[in-house]
Amino acid sequence: MSQNPFLSQAPIEGIKQIIVVGSGKGGVGKSTTSVNLACALKQKGLKVGLLDADIYGPSLPRMMGAINQHPQVDEEKKIIPLVRLGIKLMSLGFLVEEGSSVVWRGPMIFKALDQFLRDVKWGELDYLIIDLPPGTGDVPLTIAQKVPVSGAIIVTTPQNISLVDAKKAMDMFNQINVPLLGVVENMSSFTPPGAAEPLQLFPKGDLDKFLVDQKILKMIEIPFNPAVGLCSEAGIPIVESNPEGLEAKAFTGLAEKVCSHF
Ligand code: ADP
């Protein structure tokens, strides 16, 4: 008889809630959402950690202004996470040079994630936000097997081509018993400077209908704004650099929705 793999789950001492942020596809704004959600939770006075589990394209060091930095290891061989903008941060990107590729096989992924979860001195955290790689591969499965994940957020863009893959990610979380908190629709619209009305940047697909049918919460819509990307490149997420803007307010709303679940 095969053993239930989720029996090996164990909480991480000191961490109250673990939230994973996933997507069906790359490039839809999953990492942008992760960093801004972390910043918005911190702005609410909560203790927050951010783990970059996007092992194939770790972008959190850049987005959090921590490129070429390396975490220290203490005498107990525990990794001390970097702290940026008041958030504890760990990423594979701290262990490899930016731009170099890492070829990961299943057991290596398993080991690296284990280290990130268990050998990092996270301390007391209200929330650990985990930025997953896109898709439905080994990483989300491994994380769900190792630690009790409180909830998942799926990021997608409005068009059907993105929805098809987002559905697969939602289905995966369902199968591995991770509660889906809801969906973030990124790049939902774009208002060019001086324009009175927003433009539909991508064709509206069936996302809204699907979410209503499935009784899944659309947590927020984030407009497209080049400033979001510029702030990420500069290492200060938009929630920190322009907290009064529409996009920052959307992310603050996301933090509120997350908190209202727990
Ligand atoms: P993913 O993690 O899904 O691969 P990223 O968060 O890295 O996606 O975003 C992909 C690109 O799109 C980045 O250059 C990012 O700055 C940009 N981006 C994401 N969301 C927005 C937005 N709302 N407005 C403008 N640019 C955005």
Side-chain angles (χ1 to χ4, degrees):
M1 204 168 69
S2 69
Q3 206 197 354
N4 178 351
F6 296 93
L7 288 178
S8 60
Q9 260 188 2
I12 308 177
E13 211 189 309
I15 300 185
K16 290 190 186 141
Q17 311 292 353
I18 298 177
I19 308 290
V20 294
V21 182
S23 67
K25 271 191 190 314
V28 295
K30 173 183 52 58
S31 300
T32 304
T33 300
S34 301
V35 295
N36 281 289
L37 171 61
C39 291
L41 288 167
K42 180 218 62 183
Q43 286 175 354
K44 288 170 75 67
L46 297 162
K47 296 193 189 86
V48 184
L50 187 54
L51 171 59
D52 188 356
D54 191 348
I55 50 176
Y56 306 107
S59 49
L60 296 202
R62 177 170 291 274
M63 289 186 175
M64 292 293 287
I67 289 179
N68 294 331
Q69 298 199 21
H70 302 288
Q72 304 291 310
V73 176
D74 72 3
E75 63 285 352
E76 294 165 323
K77 296 218 163 74
K78 289 268 187 193
I79 304 167
I80 303 165
L82 293 174
V83 180
R84 273 287 296 154
L85 305 169
I87 292 165
K88 289 184 180 165
L89 201 60
M90 188 57 209
S91 170
L92 176 77
F94 295 142
L95 311 178
V96 296
E97 291 298 308
E98 198 185 36
S100 63
S101 71
V102 183
V103 181
W104 292 92
R105 287 174 187 282
M108 288 162 75
I109 295 176
F110 210 70
K111 192 153 181 280
L113 288 175
D114 202 46
Q115 272 204 320
F116 286 171
L117 292 166
R118 307 267 171 218
D119 295 344
V120 173
K121 248 190 171 161
W122 291 109
E124 299 283 319
L125 293 181
D126 294 301
Y127 287 95
L128 177 65
I129 307 296
I130 305 185
D131 185 26
L132 297 174
T136 55
D138 279 347
V139 173
L141 189 61
T142 304
I143 290 174
Q145 284 176 351
K146 285 186 169 296
V147 291
V149 177
S150 319
I153 296 170
I154 300 282
V155 182
T156 183
T157 47
Q159 68 276 44
N160 280 339
I161 207 156
S162 205
L163 175 60
V164 172
D165 291 335
K167 280 182 187 169
K168 289 184 200 158
M170 288 181 231
D171 186 47
M172 172 193 67
F173 286 120
N174 196 16
Q175 286 188 42
I176 61 179
N177 292 321
V178 170
L180 180 63
L181 301 183
V183 168
V184 167
E185 185 185 290
N186 189 24
M187 310 194 210
S188 55
S189 62
F190 172 53
T191 309
E197 293 293 322
L199 298 175
Q200 191 63 57
L201 197 58
F202 298 114
K204 268 272 181 212
D206 303 320
L207 177 64
D208 286 347
K209 183 177 179 315
F210 170 79
L211 296 180
V212 171
D213 287 352
Q214 298 296 315
K215 299 190 174 57
I216 296 170
L217 176 70
K218 187 198 269 186
M219 301 181 90
I220 50 162
E221 294 179 354
I222 312 161
F224 176 88
N225 181 345
V228 172
L230 290 172
C231 289
S232 292
E233 292 285 323
I236 306 176
I238 193 109
V239 161
E240 293 287 327
S241 51
N242 183 17
E244 293 309 315
L246 267 184
E247 299 74 25
K249 287 196 169 144
F251 287 119
T252 307
L254 178 62
E256 272 154 21
K257 291 216 164 86
V258 168
C259 292
S260 70
H261 271 271
F262 303 104

